[in-house]
Structure formats: C-alpha cells, structure tokens
Amino acid sequence: MAGLFAAMKARLATTVILVLFVCVMLSGCATFAPPLGIVDVPKQPTTTFRLYVSGAVEREGYVEVVAGSSYDTAIRLAGLLKETVLPSYAATTVNGDFTQIVLGYYDGEKVCDSINANSLLIANRLRVYGISDEIVNKLADYIDLHGKISNKQCLAEALGDDYQSNYYKFFVAEKDYEEGN
C-alpha cells in the first residue's frame, strides 16, 4: 500500500507542475524559461560580398557570395569556360579585399591576360598578343562610333562574327560596366 501511495504522490506532483507550467505559459510570463529544445536562437545576419567578375567567363558582371566562400565560388557563378585560367588565389576565402576579378585565358600555347576592351591599346590600334589587327580595328571603330563598350552585348555588336572566338579575351572594367548599365 505504501508503494501505491508513493506512486500517486509522484503522479500528483507531476500533474501540479504541468498545470503550473501551462498557467505560466498562458499568462505570458517572461521570467519562466521554456523547456529544453524550444529555445528560440536569434539568427545571425549573413554577410555577403559583391564581386565584379570579368574576362574569360560566360556572364561578366556582379555575383554575390556569402562570407566563408572562396573566390572559386564567385568565378563559377560567373561561368567557367574551357579557356578560363583560375588565378592562384581562387581557393582562398573571400574577405572583401578584392571587388573585381579579371580572369585570364589559355590560348593553347600560353596563359594570357584578358584585355580591357576600352583600353588605350585598343583605342590607339596597337598590337596585342593573341588578338588580330582586324579585331583591334573593329573594337576601335565601334568605340569611335558608339563610345565605350559597357558589356558583352556591346562587345558582340563590335566583333560581329568574330565574337564567339574572341569574347573571352576581353573584359569591361567595373566602372565602364556600371556607367553603361
């Protein structure tokens, strides 16, 4: 009988505690701590970095990556080409130091730097390794008629049929991109 009495006493104590818990919760008492597993942890704001990726990529322009991502992630968001050469720092973590990434390309013989489509080399019709004089003249003529090249669409207009085999050799500087878009 004593065992039965002890069991009833324990059950009554549990019921009283549960009733008190429910009453406190319904009253909105802020001093009562919620049971384990129901704690609402505030979310930390996610830091993102905005990078301008240009040169030998499919989609020149801005990409956003979350803190802790590598530069490789940003480059892949812009789209790798078979000619794209990843920079030595591609595996490092984005920290906001670089805001623009210009990717070079492999021409089958060596690694080459992409050329600013609005550079003085182009405007003055100077020779550029890996780029024919015809291409340089097309770009210079376009710039003379229309002003700066501000994106890959303008580059396509300037190069015409030669675009597919040459677009990755050029980039548009971030400032020129922003002014034109």
Side-chain angles (χ1 to χ4, degrees), residues 140-152:
D141 290 344
Y142 182 90
I143 292 167
D144 289 344
L145 285 171
H146 304 286
K148 289 182 177 180
I149 295 172
S150 60
N151 54 43
K152 294 283 187 178

Side-chain angles (χ1 to χ4, degrees), residues 10-20:
R11 186 174 229 157
L12 179 63
T14 304
T15 303
V16 169
I17 290 172
L18 284 174
V19 168
L20 285 173

Side-chain angles (χ1 to χ4, degrees), residues 58-144:
E58 287 179 22
R59 296 170 300 281
E60 188 168 84
Y62 289 101
V63 297
E64 281 194 13
V65 295
V66 295
S69 298
S70 66
Y71 285 97
D72 181 65
T73 301
I75 293 165
R76 290 183 188 284
L77 285 171
L80 289 176
L81 303 170
K82 64 180 175 157
E83 297 87 359
T84 304
V85 173
L86 292 174
S88 59
Y89 60 83
T92 61
T93 302
V94 175
N95 60 12
D97 289 346
F98 300 118
T99 59
Q100 180 174 4
I101 303 170
V102 178
L103 296 166
Y105 63 94
Y106 182 71
D107 76 350
E109 295 177 21
K110 69 179 204 167
V111 174
C112 302
D113 293 326
S114 295
I115 303 294
N116 184 339
N118 297 304
S119 71
L120 290 174
L121 294 171
I122 301 298
N124 291 323
R125 301 171 192 267
L126 299 174
R127 287 188 171 250
V128 179
Y129 175 82
I131 301 170
S132 71
D133 292 343
E134 177 187 352
I135 298 298
V136 170
N137 287 329
K138 281 183 175 186
L139 293 174
D141 290 344
Y142 182 90
I143 292 167
D144 289 344

